[in-house]
Amino acid sequence: MAKPIDYERKNRIISHVVANGHAKVNELAELLGVTTETIRKDLAYLQEKKILEKGHGVVTPSSSYLENPYAVKERKDVEAKTQIAHLAASLVPEQGVVFLDSGTTVAQLAKQLNLRNDLTIVTNSMIAAQVLQDTGNQLLVTGGELRQASFSYVGSWAIKALQQIKVDIAFMGCDGFHDGGPSIRSFRELDIKEAAITSAKRSVLLADSSKFQQTGMYLYAPFESFDVFIIERALNAEEKQYLPDSLNMLHP
């Protein structure tokens, strides 16, 4: 069996520790087919990012990375999210087919799209669907299993719905950044986000600058998967170093 590459290995470490509540270094090395030295380096990185904690001979999930309730997220950085949503709305083509991801920034975009009546809007977000319930646009909700922490639909039903649709533009959110791309705190949303990006002609990442100080547990796509990244301000040199030159940046 081929050894997993770096970010895949870290994601598998996180998944194993979260699923079991704890793990030992030798256990992880055997599971992933690498040396204990490699595992210790991975754990040092994940501890630095405050994803995992070490103690008493085992590693455990960091309490700071338990997912915030949706209502808490919704009240944070509202002005920044509104600015991002306004720019995002300007990218939506006439009579376009649009995918809206779950998340509070994308929910702000849903409010902007209520001003349109020529779109087909596809979403796995219960919040976005509620915002758009009286819209003049055609609204398609994926259905599936409701994940209450994010009020999003996940699972095979939602994924199959997306696989049967081609969208012009997908607007994606995140909980934070790994070095290589946006990340989320729940593995249950990985497949639905990957399906959305695959189904889209263009993918747009929406994230406010606070995400540079946060790291979700699971990388769901590299930055190269996105055509545009919209943020509320210009990035500094340190922030830019993580982004590919090909990524089109937009800010007010």
Side-chain angles (χ1 to χ4, degrees):
M1 181 180 67
K3 294 179 180 179
I5 61 176
D6 184 71
Y7 74 84
E8 290 178 341
R9 188 176 64 245
K10 289 184 175 69
N11 277 347
R12 287 180 63 184
I13 289 171
I14 295 165
S15 296
H16 183 80
V17 174
V18 170
N20 293 278
H22 58 81
K24 295 182 178 180
V25 171
N26 289 343
E27 171 189 345
L28 292 169
E30 182 177 352
L31 175 69
L32 297 171
V34 296
T35 65
T36 55
E37 181 182 359
T38 296
I39 293 296
R40 287 192 176 94
K41 289 179 180 177
D42 286 344
L43 294 178
Y45 172 86
L46 295 171
Q47 186 177 26
E48 180 185 351
K49 295 294 184 180
K50 299 181 180 178
I51 296 173
L52 300 180
E53 297 175 346
K54 291 196 295 184
H56 304 293
V58 298
V59 290
T60 58
S62 169
S63 58
S64 66
Y65 273 82
L66 295 175
E67 189 166 26
N68 290 329
Y70 187 94
V72 175
K73 294 180 182 179
E74 190 176 31
R75 292 192 294 268
K76 292 179 63 177
D77 304 308
V78 174
E79 183 178 353
K81 292 172 182 177
T82 302
Q83 291 176 329
I84 291 167
H86 182 73
L87 271 178
S90 70
L91 299 182
V92 177
E94 291 185 4
Q95 299 182 333
V97 181
V98 181
F99 174 77
L100 298 182
D101 190 16
S102 61
T104 54
T105 305
V106 182
Q108 289 292 331
L109 174 58
K111 295 177 183 179
Q112 299 274 341
L113 297 185
N114 254 332
L115 302 175
R116 301 278 294 267
N117 61 10
D118 62 317
L119 305 173
T120 298
I121 300 175
V122 185
T123 187
N124 71 317
S125 167
M126 189 177 78
I127 300 298
Q130 289 176 340
V131 168
L132 293 162
Q133 61 184 332
D134 296 320
T135 184
N137 300 295
Q138 182 181 21
L139 177 62
L140 303 177
V141 182
T142 62
E145 179 186 353
L146 179 63
R147 182 171 176 271
Q148 294 186 348
S150 59
F151 295 107
S152 61
Y153 293 106
V154 298
S156 59
W157 190 296
I159 292 165
K160 286 179 181 178
L162 278 178
Q163 288 173 340
Q164 296 177 42
I165 298 172
K166 283 296 180 183
V167 303
D168 295 306
I169 189 165
F171 293 97
M172 309 299 297
C174 66
D175 291 319
F177 297 130
H178 277 300
D179 291 345
S183 56
I184 52 178
R185 293 194 176 114
S186 172
F187 71 92
R188 297 179 67 198
E189 295 197 15
L190 283 173
D191 290 343
I192 190 74
K193 290 183 184 295
E194 291 172 359
I197 291 172
T198 300
S199 74
K201 294 178 183 176
R202 299 181 74 200
S203 295
V204 180
L205 178 61
L206 308 183
D208 64 82
S209 56
S210 71
K211 298 299 190 295
F212 280 99
Q213 282 74 55
Q214 302 176 54
T215 305
M217 289 186 177
Y218 305 97
L219 176 73
Y220 76 82
F223 283 120
E224 287 82 1
S225 296
F226 298 91
D227 300 284
V228 181
F229 177 8
I230 304 180
I231 197 165
E232 87 282 6
R233 61 164 174 79
L235 300 183
N236 59 42
E238 182 180 358
E239 292 164 340
K240 285 181 180 178
Q241 69 178 328
Y242 298 110
L243 305 176
D245 294 336
S246 60
L247 185 59
N248 184 19
M249 298 293 304
L250 291 181
H251 63 84

